[in-house]
Amino acid sequence: MNREKRPKVKRIGTRKASVAIMWALLLTSLAFAVYMHFTAVDTHTIIEREIVEVQIVDTNRIESFVTEFARIYYAWPVGAEQSAERNEALRGFLTDDLHMLNAKLSRDTDSSSSIRAVRIWQVEPLDDHNFRVLFSVERLLRAVTAEYVDEVIQERIYDEYGYPAFIEQVVQHEVTTSTEDVVLSYYTVIVHVDDAGNAVITHNPTIHGGFERSDFALPMRAQDTSIDGDTQHEIMQFLTEFFTLYPTASESMIAHFVRDGALEVIDMEYEFLELVNPIFQRRGEMVAVYVAVRYYDPRTRAQQLSQFELVVQAFDGSWMVVGGLL
């Protein structure tokens, strides 16, 4: 009896160890995910943004307040009556304790002070209500000094016999001398401004060193020797023509000399006099020119010197200003 042979079925690794390991990893991952879902801490990401508000403080009122105070505080005439008026006027600027303190200050009654200028240099906010103000006062001080000068006077007399004799007498004369001196001084005060905008000085004027001239100096510019004399002559002719027309030139006229609005219209009745100390430096196809221009101003009848730092370039043989260095 012939039995039919069943076809062989190839089974792919259902019983292999690697498949079992993969199933174990899958089940472990699933169990860990379920565990984390129920035990995880509910967290939220919070993004904090700090908003900085820039508060613009109008210091015009503070500056006017300190300026008016300085005009009264640093000026005094000769005489007790006027001094009393000055002291009363200061009551509107100082706290009560500062007003009492300044009332006790003594000064030379033979001198006077008049204000020539008060300038506010800095208003520094200390907090929302207090400000440190740096200011300068230029005063004309007049002083009268008196000194006594001895004068010897000789008087001729005669004795009983008719012989002459001399008597010397010392007489003192008072000589007064008036002097004037311009004094520039710097001071700081602290001003308190309340919510209503009212101001009062809380710290008396305190001496300050002020400002001095800076030692800064621009580096020396050297003439570029690679630019030949003919090129320099051409540029000088171009600049002379341009600066002669420039003060009164319209925008359309300037456009013949200047590209891309490198120089603005000024519309002033200046009379060109000369170019002063031009220095040329090559910048590729362009040339940088440092030059001063001397003009005469008919209105003030005075000369003035303007400094220009320009870049010029030649187009088809004609020079033009293509930019400025300042």
Side-chain angles (χ1 to χ4, degrees):
M1 183 176 182
N2 294 330
R3 295 181 180 179
E4 295 181 359
K5 294 183 178 180
R6 297 180 180 179
K8 293 182 180 180
V9 178
K10 187 176 181 180
R11 302 181 183 275
I12 302 175
T14 55
R15 296 177 180 272
K16 288 184 178 181
S18 60
V19 176
I21 294 174
M22 293 297 293
W23 276 104
L25 288 175
L26 177 61
L27 293 176
T28 303
S29 300
L30 180 62
F32 181 74
V34 173
Y35 170 78
M36 291 299 295
H37 175 74
F38 287 102
T39 60
V41 178
D42 189 13
T43 60
H44 299 277
T45 302
I46 300 176
I47 300 175
E48 295 185 357
R49 294 181 180 178
E50 182 180 358
I51 300 176
V52 179
E53 295 184 359
V54 179
Q55 183 178 6
I56 300 176
V57 179
D58 184 6
T59 61
N60 290 329
R61 183 180 300 182
I62 299 173
E63 293 178 17
S64 299
F65 182 80
V66 173
T67 298
E68 187 62 23
F69 160 75
R71 291 186 179 278
I72 298 174
Y73 188 83
Y74 292 101
W76 56 80
V78 179
E81 181 179 352
Q82 291 85 349
S83 297
E85 294 176 359
R86 169 182 171 274
N87 184 56
E88 185 61 28
L90 290 175
R91 191 184 299 275
F93 298 90
L94 302 170
T95 58
D96 292 340
D97 56 338
L98 283 184
H99 185 258
M100 293 179 60
L101 176 64
N102 284 276
K104 298 177 181 179
L105 295 178
S106 61
R107 62 176 179 81
D108 189 353
T109 58
D110 292 330
S111 66
S112 65
S113 173
S114 58
I115 302 300
R116 299 184 59 172
V118 176
R119 296 181 178 89
I120 305 297
W121 293 93
Q122 184 183 43
V123 179
E124 177 189 0
L126 301 178
D127 52 41
D128 292 340
H129 293 281
N130 297 287
F131 302 83
R132 179 182 288 111
V133 182
L134 171 62
F135 64 98
S136 64
V137 180
E138 184 178 331
R139 293 176 285 171
L140 176 62
L141 297 176
R142 294 184 176 92
V144 178
T145 58
E147 61 178 342
Y148 293 92
V149 178
D150 294 338
E151 181 182 2
V152 178
I153 301 177
Q154 290 185 344
E155 183 181 358
R156 177 182 292 182
I157 62 173
Y158 297 89
D159 61 13
E160 56 182 342
Y161 301 104
Y163 293 102
F166 294 93
I167 299 178
E168 290 186 353
Q169 182 180 4
V170 179
V171 179
Q172 286 188 331
H173 295 279
E174 182 180 357
V175 179
T176 59
T177 304
S178 299
T179 59
E180 291 186 352
D181 192 14
V182 177
V183 177
L184 176 63
S185 306
Y186 290 83
Y187 303 92
T188 59
V189 293
I190 295 181
V191 180
H192 176 84
V193 181
D194 61 22
D195 293 332
N198 300 315
V200 65
I201 293 175
T202 60
H203 285 67
N204 222 46
T206 302
I207 55 177
H208 187 275
F211 302 95
E212 296 180 355
R213 186 185 71 88
S214 172
D215 293 331
F216 172 78
L218 288 172
M220 296 294 293
R221 296 188 179 96
Q223 195 75 261
D224 193 338
T225 57
S226 68
I227 303 175
D228 59 78
D230 291 338
T231 302
Q232 293 186 27
H233 181 68
E234 290 178 4
I235 297 175
M236 287 291 289
Q237 284 186 321
F238 162 71
L239 293 178
T240 299
E241 181 183 1
F242 169 68
F243 282 115
T244 300
L245 301 174
Y246 178 53
T248 58
S250 62
E251 186 172 353
S252 59
M253 185 179 295
I254 290 179
H256 294 289
F257 300 86
V258 178
R259 282 197 169 189
D260 301 327
L263 290 175
E264 299 179 350
V265 176
I266 59 174
D267 192 20
M268 301 293 290
E269 295 290 338
Y270 292 148
E271 299 176 7
F272 173 81
L273 296 179
E274 63 173 337
L275 301 178
V276 181
N277 298 332
I279 296 177
F280 303 93
Q281 293 181 349
R282 188 173 295 281
R283 301 285 179 90
E285 297 181 353
M286 299 174 289
V287 176
V289 183
Y290 305 87
V291 64
V293 184
R294 191 188 307 276
Y295 282 109
Y296 173 74
D297 186 353
R299 298 173 305 170
T300 61
R301 299 183 179 181
Q303 296 183 13
Q304 64 98 5
L305 202 63
S306 297
Q307 290 181 290
F308 293 89
E309 300 185 2
L310 306 173
V311 177
V312 298
Q313 185 174 0
F315 297 92
D316 298 328
S318 299
W319 291 91
M320 293 192 71
V321 177
V322 296
L325 299 177
L326 283 181

